Structure formats: structure tokens, C-alpha cells
Amino acid sequence: MMKSFSVFLFCSILFFGCKKDDDTAGKIEYLVEVNGDFVLMEIDNAPEYNDEGEEGLYNCIGENIKYPTEARENGVEGKVEVEYEISATGEIENIVPITNIGSGCEEALIEALKACTQGVVFSPAIIDGQAVRVKDSLWVNFRLE
């Protein structure tokens, strides 16, 4: 399930969430930590952002992200994807960029995500009644207008 939102500052930044799921079969699949490795598994409940769900997370990122001056001045546009882990207690950890367009865009997305996820801000993923650590990602399309 992918959603997009636009925020107009000096530019347009489009947000997309990237979950591993199969809506047609009613399955929810995530990368779940098993013995230190992440394995694609079916889960019972997906992690959920505690402040208005997925839309709340994107709204928070939109309020906190800034198009880097260097990127704007150099006409840098493109998709930045970050990957992160949601712990069994609902905390965001290990945020890493997956794509690199440069000029501070990756750092801008990471800082905005950190600002929105301080402390326990997610209900964790659940398998058989147990909270589990999962890996997720989201991406932002930096676009000048």
C-alpha cells in the first residue's frame, strides 16, 4: 500500500511508504528479525505509528523536512529512500539511506524521520501474540517547482 503526500515549502517533496504486503490475499509480510537476520515473513499485525498512523508519520515528516539549500541551489532532484528498524518495543533504530542523490537530501530525510520518531512512537509488529523487530522503509521524492 503506497500513499503520497505533497508539502510545499520552496519545493515539492512527495512521500511514499514502502511496506511489504499483499492486500489481495489478506497477508501482511515484513522483513522480521530472526536470530540476527531479517527474513520475509507473514505477520499478524503491522507496526503502526501512534500519532494518526501512516498519514500522521508523513504529515510529521512534511512538517520537519527541509529541502537542503545546496540541493535547491544545484537543482538536485530525485528519490531518497531510507530503511529503518522498528523494535519489539516500538522504537525506530538503525536508520540508513538506501539511495544517494547527494547535496544533503539523505541527511534531511533522516533528520526529519528522527524528529518524528523520538521515543516509542510505533505499536510493534505482532506474530502469534508476540511483538517482533521488523525492517521497513520509506522514500521521499525531492522535486523543485
Side-chain angles (χ1 to χ4, degrees):
M1 176 179 353
M2 300 237 260
K3 294 184 180 180
S4 66
F5 299 88
S6 293
V7 176
F8 296 97
L9 303 169
F10 298 105
C11 60
S12 174
I13 303 173
L14 301 174
F15 300 93
F16 296 87
C18 301
K19 288 185 187 171
K20 309 277 191 243
D21 63 354
D22 179 2
D23 292 329
T24 59
K27 295 183 203 174
I28 305 169
E29 293 182 326
Y30 269 82
L31 291 170
V32 177
E33 185 181 40
V34 177
N35 298 322
D37 293 320
F38 284 90
V39 178
L40 188 61
M41 296 177 63
E42 188 174 329
I43 63 173
D44 299 324
N45 294 86
E48 186 170 341
Y49 189 66
N50 290 338
D51 189 11
E52 299 181 26
E54 189 175 39
E55 185 174 344
L57 177 60
Y58 296 135
N59 288 337
C60 184
I61 290 172
E63 292 168 6
N64 285 279
I65 198 166
K66 300 200 178 13
Y67 208 112
T69 302
E70 180 183 345
R72 193 172 46 252
E73 288 173 353
N74 292 320
V76 173
E77 297 182 319
K79 174 180 153 180
V80 173
E81 183 177 2
V82 295
E83 187 175 75
Y84 54 92
E85 297 171 20
I86 303 172
S87 74
T89 60
E91 296 174 274
I92 294 291
E93 300 172 339
N94 303 322
I95 304 169
V96 294
I98 301 302
T99 58
N100 182 2
I101 63 171
S103 297
C105 294
E106 293 75 25
E107 293 83 2
L109 177 53
I110 289 170
E111 289 306 311
L113 183 57
K114 284 181 179 179
C116 295
T117 59
Q118 293 178 0
V120 178
V121 294
F122 277 82
S123 58
I126 304 292
I127 296 177
D128 295 330
Q130 298 287 77
V132 294
R133 174 182 291 274
V134 295
K135 192 174 279 193
D136 204 352
S137 65
L138 63 84
W139 60 276
V140 171
N141 190 27
F142 285 82
R143 186 180 68 197
L144 296 167
E145 291 193 353

